[in-house]
Amino acid sequence: METHGVRLTPGQAHAALADTEHIRASAAALSATPWPNWFFITLTLYIAALPITYGGVMADSDWLLPRPAWMAIMLTSTAVYLALFAVAAKAWRDRTGVALRLDVLPKRATVPLAVGLPVLLVAAVLAFRVTGRPVWLIAASLIGAAVSVGFHLAFVRLHRKTP
């Protein structure tokens, strides 16, 4: 193997390939690193507020607030969340040189999350609408916040395990 006109021994070539693989693994780990803590808190609060907000929007009649107020809260909180998401992603990319990515995480964890949280949200809102009992929304809110914290801790653990 030749590098820049210099012939490498088989041992040197093997070491160079090992270094390349280590760099790839480190880049993958860095891109799977948890969100900045301020954004993790923002994300957890947003997930916790979603069931209650959607419940207010979908209630049969005005519940705690008029329906337009719930709609305004939902739209405003979503816009703020998306803006903060963009800020967090840019700050992370500027600091580390890599984008925040979910594709490097184990599919056995991300697929149930991507399916489970929306199902939880819809089921809680439907149960609230049918029964009129806000306990369904509160339970979904607490479960969503717990899942957010769990995923953050899993990100931290994944990052610490990778060389």
Side-chain angles (χ1 to χ4, degrees):
M1 178 177 198
E2 277 193 39
T3 303
H4 302 291
V6 177
R7 189 164 182 90
L8 299 176
T9 66
Q12 290 170 323
H14 182 68
L17 288 174
D19 284 345
T20 301
E21 192 55 41
H22 176 73
I23 290 168
R24 282 189 191 134
S26 294
L30 191 55
S31 63
T33 303
W35 302 102
N37 284 332
W38 66 265
F39 187 72
F40 152 66
I41 293 166
T42 301
L43 177 61
T44 301
L45 292 173
Y46 180 71
I47 289 171
L50 273 176
I52 295 166
T53 305
Y54 284 158
V57 169
M58 300 302 292
D60 282 334
S61 60
D62 288 348
W63 174 68
L64 300 178
L65 296 171
R67 185 172 285 163
W70 283 116
M71 187 62 86
I73 291 168
M74 183 178 67
L75 293 174
T76 302
S77 64
T78 300
V80 168
Y81 165 76
L82 291 173
L84 291 175
F85 177 87
V87 169
K90 183 179 181 335
W92 185 256
R93 192 173 38 257
D94 290 348
R95 193 173 108 215
T96 65
V98 293
L100 289 167
R101 296 173 37 197
L102 290 176
D103 65 322
V104 296
L105 298 173
K107 299 292 184 254
R108 69 182 186 278
T110 55
V111 170
L113 176 70
V115 172
L117 272 179
V119 167
L120 173 70
L121 176 64
V122 170
V125 170
L126 288 175
F128 169 67
R129 189 173 166 112
V130 168
T131 66
R133 299 190 65 203
V135 68
W136 297 105
L137 303 176
I138 294 166
S141 179
L142 293 173
I143 292 168
V147 168
S148 178
V149 170
F151 254 76
H152 180 73
L153 295 175
F155 283 178
V156 170
R157 193 169 138 234
L158 176 68
H159 180 65
R160 287 187 184 148
K161 281 178 135 181
T162 307

